[in-house]
Structure formats: C-alpha cells, structure tokens
Amino acid sequence: MSSAPPRRHRRRTRTALFALLTTVLVGTLVLRPDAEPAEAAAAAPAAFAHPGVTVSRGQLDFARSKVDAGAQPWKGAFDRMLASKYADLNRTPKPRAVVECGSYSNPNLGCTDEREDAIAAYTDALVWYVTRDERYARKSIELMDAWSAVIRDHTNSNAPLQTGWAGSSWPKAAEIIKHTYTGTWANSGRFATMLRDVYLPEIINGSNSNGNWELTMMEAAVGISVFLEDRASYDKAMAKFRTRTAAYVYLESDGALPKTVPSQNLDTRDKIVKYWQNQSTFVTGLTQETCRDFTHTGYGISSISHIAETSRIQGQDLYGTDVGERLRHALGFQAKYEQGAAVPSWLCGGSLHLGLGPVTEVGYNALHNRLGHAMTNTQALTERTRPSGSNNLFVAWETLTHGDNPA
C-alpha cells in the first residue's frame, strides 16, 4: 500500500536498461488494458507553496484584514468559530493508539475524538493566524503532538473513510503552524512521520465504495502530500481524483451513461444504474449519490472543491477544466433543490433527502467570483447559510477562509 518511489530512484542509465524498460512497459500495456492514463500525469509543482492546503497565505491575509476591520460576513464567521467548542483553549486531546470505526462509526472507538481534535487543531491555527494570540498556536501544536505520539493504526470497515476525514484536517492545521507560526514546534517531524506512516498508506490506493469515500481520501492524500512535499503521492492522488470526479458528477457530454472508474467493473447499464442509487435518468449536475442523500453528496462536492483549491494554490488551476465544470453543475443542481424547488418524478422517484451541509463557499468563490460564472442557485444558498460552520467531520469555517475571497 506504499506510494510510488521518488523519481530519483527511477533514474537509470539509459543504455544499460533500455531493453529491460521496453519489455516492462510493453508488458504493462498488455497486462493492464484498463490502466487509467491519468495516473501517469504529473501534477505536483516544481516547488510546493506553503501554507498551501485548501487555504493560502493570501487568503488568510484577506480574511484577517476583514476580521480586523469588522467587515461582514467575515467578522461574524470568525466570531462563530471562536465561540465553537473547537476553539476552546481548555480542550483535552483524546488520542488513541488504534482508532476503530465500523460502518456509520459503530463501533466508535476514538473516531469522533480524532476527527474533532483534528478540526480543533485547524481551528486553533486559524485563530492564531487572525489574532496572533500564541495560545492558539500552542494549543494547535498540543493537539497535533498528542496524536502523533500515540496513534498507530485505523481499523474496522470505516478505517479508510475515517482516515480521510481526519487526514483532511491535520495537514491544514500543520501547514499554517509550520509555515506561519514564529514559535517552535519541536515535534513537527514526528507529526510528519505520523502522516506518512499511519495516514497515507490507508488512503493513497483509493476506494471502490461510494464516490465520497475516494474523494475524501484523495483530499487527505493531496493535503498530506503537500505537507510532506511528496511529489509521487501528490501525482498519484491527483490522478485518482481526476478519474473519480469524472465518475462522480455527470455531464451531458459524457454520453448516454456516466463515466466509470475502471477498477469497479461497472460495465453494463444495469450495474451503473444500481451504483447510481437506481437513478436511470442522467442529467448534467446529477451526482452518483444524489439519490442516496444530499449529505453524502455534499461530502463529495466538498472534497472536489478542496482538492481543486489546493491544486490552484500549487500552480495548476483545475477550475477551468472538466473538474470545474462538474463542480459548478453539481453545486447548481443540488442547490436548486436544497433551496426548495419541486422534485420531478424522474429524479430519485420524486423524493430527495436534503441536507447538503456547509460545502458551497470554496467552489462558489472560485467559479462565480474568480471565473465569472452565473450561479444563481448556489449564490442564494451560500448567502442564506452564511456564516458557514463545520460539519464536524472535515469541513470547517469556509465563509471565513473563502467567502468572497479574491486571493
């Protein structure tokens, strides 16, 4: 389950190994006809930008300036964050050597504690950046150190998803602390080892479960790769993300049926319809989990936006590609019904389970404010639900960090 070796290990004398490499490459093509070409695409930057996981220094500076000026919605968003349990300086971390999470977190042996301590570490890092109150930087470090000293594994059926959820928040916290805090973080190396040895192997090879699993896992893998400056893992995670996003959000240009992930062997219409929650009419913006419920759909949409944002910060803007097109239409389609539009009989049997969650700010800011797309439904939903809070899993405080943020 380890990631691909660094490129330096692949540099060989061309004359000595040409024949061998040719044989291997030909054999690979023959043995893997379903290989995903995108997996070979390089996405990692020549030099990683820090802090660079979902939120950049420029975005942090913009948010800080707005809070300092008392401007809305940022001041209200900051106040909500500061009043939350995640910003409590008396919080006691609850690390475990083995976090065991079954389906729907049953059993829940450290699952909630891990996710919420990770969100708290990120929250404290944000409070530090806005206020420069060192107590919050030290609290963030305390939480990260507590877990890096103890955790060794994730087990049971939800282990990959749990690792993805917690692993999405940890590097966001670590990036801000390591690259902006002027004090010391003596155990930052141990924290990096935790991400590399405990988290990354659990998520880097992806998942064939519902699409939100792999999207969240790749969000964590991309963020961890940025913190570790691991180019090979970044490229691998980004390639899986591109393939999964195309298979998660339908566009009319995909054809009669949605795209699929080759490893899932969804090779008939019946299999695809079943995987898409028995939805047989495909329209632009529908997701693989729309007919399951909007909450899980929101997880997928959120991770798409987070990875696209990280990629943009790292120098490759995916918002102008099919990733952005799929994200824009997924947001608009779900927002329309979340805002109360009547559900047609052909869509999920005429009944939807709403509850998208606080997941629109990042994509809306990038696609509407930066690129100028009209997103009426998404705009209405975003403005109605401001300031957005946390979903208590891996999404937190995005009105503060990304609301109408031009950086």
Side-chain angles (χ1 to χ4, degrees), residues 6 10 128 151 178 254 328:
R10 297 178 189 156
W128 140 254
I151 189 167
K178 182 176 181 180
D254 293 337
R328 178 166 68 92

Side-chain angles (χ1 to χ4, degrees), residues 19 43 48 61 63 74 79 133 139 153 204 221 223 245 247 258 288 315 318 324:
F48 285 96
D61 286 341
W74 305 276
D79 290 345
D133 184 336
K139 192 66 182 182
D153 200 10
I204 191 62
T245 298
Q288 182 255 315
L318 297 178

